[in-house]
Amino acid sequence: MMSTINFLDLHAGYAELRPEIESAIYRVFNSGRYVGGDEVAAFEAEWASYCGAAHCVGTGNGLDALILALRACDIGPGDGVIVPSNTYIATWLAVSAVGAIIQPVEPDPVTYNIDPSRIGAAITPETRAIMPVHLYGQPADLDPILALARAHDLRVIEDAAQAHGARYKGRRIGAHGDAVCWSFYPGKNLGAMGDAGAVTTNDPEIAARVRRLGNYGSDRKYVNVERGVNSRLDPLQATILRVKLAHLDEWTERRRLLASAYMDSLADTGLTLPQVPEWAEPVWHLYVVRSSERDALQGCLAGAGVGTLIHYPIPPHMQEAYADLHLAPDAFPLAQQLAGEVLSLPMGPHLSPEAAQQVQKALA
Ligand SMILES: *Cc1c(COP(=O)(O)O)cnc(C)c1O
């Protein structure tokens, strides 16, 4: 009798690190400092250093990191922002939140990330920024994007919510573009125990502006120089993230082992497996396969006790939230097709590579 494989077991992460996490949170309880403070500053310094960025500013969550990075780059009403047609809707929502115009570009059908060769045609006089997403933990092809941005005087704001530790041409994601936005939502590769986010950047002005915007538009108490919001990294989350950061590379390695076990076990199943360009070192936030019989495949795996999810079943352009754009399904046919074919297999640091054999058996 085969055991059940959950899609993702978040409690296992706590169980593994329980003594460290508990002593960290009691340190915060006993500090008497419950907003900002040393734990937040220490995590920001450690995350900046891990990412190879000069600055890190914590935020309340990943969506706010995207919104504050756009605002810090002065992107607002009337400005255009190039986004992937194939992404989690948060990327689009951030652009909408600052009143800017969404300019979607279709994915490369092999990597599912934004196709740099299609970006040029989407640039208009309004375009001010490109927002690549490192989807599923696989870095987007940044060099041609950065070259286009230089040629057209555009900002590059990366959505790295799924790419903690991923490398592009040997260098970690974190400071290739003007600003890099992170989510530490519990299910991400580096996950808090609640909501949390951050922006990393090499630009001191962007860092200072994100910090000010997330703190009521204030650098000095009771002096408000612009209309900010309250979106700060919570010290309890910061201290938990510090504990988990020390284990991130080991946990990423476990994901890599499971991904390579899937590659071997599923090679002859007829499924389309992930492909990794030679310049990419992905971190396997998700292990996504494709099938024209996706729903049957998901049912078959469920019957064998294998939990799967779909990332994402409805592309942003087909969401009711964007009905006012009046986009037909085939306005972005690749994004539409992927939504009908992708399936995420169980993936996480607490699954053993044997899970891959169980998936293979279920499909046999
Ligand atoms: C998770 C995620 C976000 C949003 O992060 P939150 O912390 O949940 O606000 C943004 N973009 C992508 C690609 C994500 O996966």
Side-chain angles (χ1 to χ4, degrees):
M1 175 72 199
M2 289 194 288
S3 55
T4 301
I5 304 181
N6 293 324
F7 177 74
L8 176 66
D9 182 356
L10 285 176
H11 184 268
Y14 171 53
E16 181 180 336
L17 304 178
R18 185 175 195 140
E20 284 177 78
I21 288 173
E22 291 183 356
S23 81
I25 62 178
Y26 280 104
R27 196 166 63 234
V28 173
F29 288 156
N30 285 313
S31 72
R33 179 84 196 247
Y34 306 125
V35 170
D38 293 345
E39 290 294 329
V40 173
F43 173 72
E44 288 174 338
E46 287 160 13
W47 185 241
S49 151
Y50 182 86
C51 296
H55 308 276
C56 170
V57 181
T59 60
N61 55 65
L63 176 56
D64 282 353
L66 292 164
I67 294 170
L68 297 181
L70 285 162
R71 288 189 63 185
C73 292
D74 286 316
I75 291 162
D79 296 331
V81 180
I82 306 270
V83 295
S85 59
N86 182 53
T87 182
Y88 179 55
I89 196 169
T91 322
W92 286 42
L93 292 176
V95 176
S96 303
V98 301
I101 304 158
I102 288 164
Q103 301 185 304
V105 167
E106 287 268 76
D108 169 342
V110 173
T111 64
Y112 314 139
N113 274 320
I114 193 166
D115 184 346
S117 72
R118 294 170 179 257
I119 293 176
I123 294 173
T124 65
E126 289 73 41
T127 306
R128 297 277 321 281
I130 307 174
M131 222 171 190
V133 180
H134 308 296
L135 202 64
Y136 307 152
Q138 171 121 271
D141 192 1
L142 287 172
D143 279 348
I145 293 172
L146 293 165
L148 276 166
R150 269 191 300 277
H152 295 268
D153 195 21
L154 309 176
R155 296 289 204 167
V156 175
I157 299 170
E158 300 167 56
D159 180 341
Q162 304 189 357
H164 311 78
R167 288 175 194 266
Y168 177 71
K169 299 189 179 170
R171 182 179 151 210
R172 279 206 185 111
I173 298 301
H176 292 83
D178 295 284
V180 181
C181 304
W182 302 94
S183 165
F184 306 113
Y185 176 82
K188 308 291 170 154
N189 288 33
L190 180 60
M193 296 174 86
D195 279 307
V199 176
T200 53
T201 177
N202 280 341
D203 183 331
E205 286 175 28
I206 290 178
R209 188 92 188 275
V210 169
R211 194 175 295 287
R212 186 164 85 195
L213 285 166
N215 187 42
Y216 301 101
S218 167
D219 305 308
R220 262 198 307 144
K221 214 168 171 64
Y222 307 129
V223 179
N224 300 78
V225 296
E226 60 183 329
R227 294 176 203 158
V229 297
N230 176 358
S231 184
R232 303 176 291 218
L233 175 61
D234 184 277
L236 280 171
Q237 302 306 336
T239 204
I240 291 167
L241 289 168
R242 293 184 71 197
V243 170
K244 290 197 166 178
L245 177 53
H247 298 270
L248 178 60
D249 286 345
E250 187 197 334
W251 286 17
T252 299
E253 186 52 31
R254 296 185 204 163
R255 290 174 182 271
R256 282 204 178 104
L257 289 174
L258 178 54
S260 84
Y262 276 136
M263 300 285 186
D264 295 341
S265 307
L266 305 181
D268 301 321
T269 54
L271 298 176
T272 304
L273 303 183
Q275 292 190 47
V276 180
E278 98 286 338
W279 40 258
E281 289 172 60
V283 290
W284 303 107
H285 173 59
L286 295 170
Y287 188 89
V288 177
V289 300
R290 270 172 75 192
S291 166
S292 52
E293 308 293 320
R294 191 265 316 280
D295 295 343
L297 174 68
Q298 184 170 39
C300 162
L301 288 169
V306 176
T308 58
L309 290 176
I310 296 167
H311 299 91
Y312 297 93
I314 305 172
H317 76 281
M318 284 292 98
Q319 295 283 1
E320 208 176 324
Y322 285 104
D324 60 330
L325 298 183
H326 303 291
L327 292 164
D330 66 358
F332 301 101
L334 286 171
Q336 184 67 24
Q337 186 187 349
L338 287 172
E341 297 186 354
V342 293
L343 188 69
S344 305
L345 300 182
M347 172 51 75
H350 298 94
L351 272 177
S352 85
E354 276 93 74
Q357 273 96 61
Q358 190 164 333
V359 171
Q360 181 191 26
K361 279 198 203 108
L363 298 179

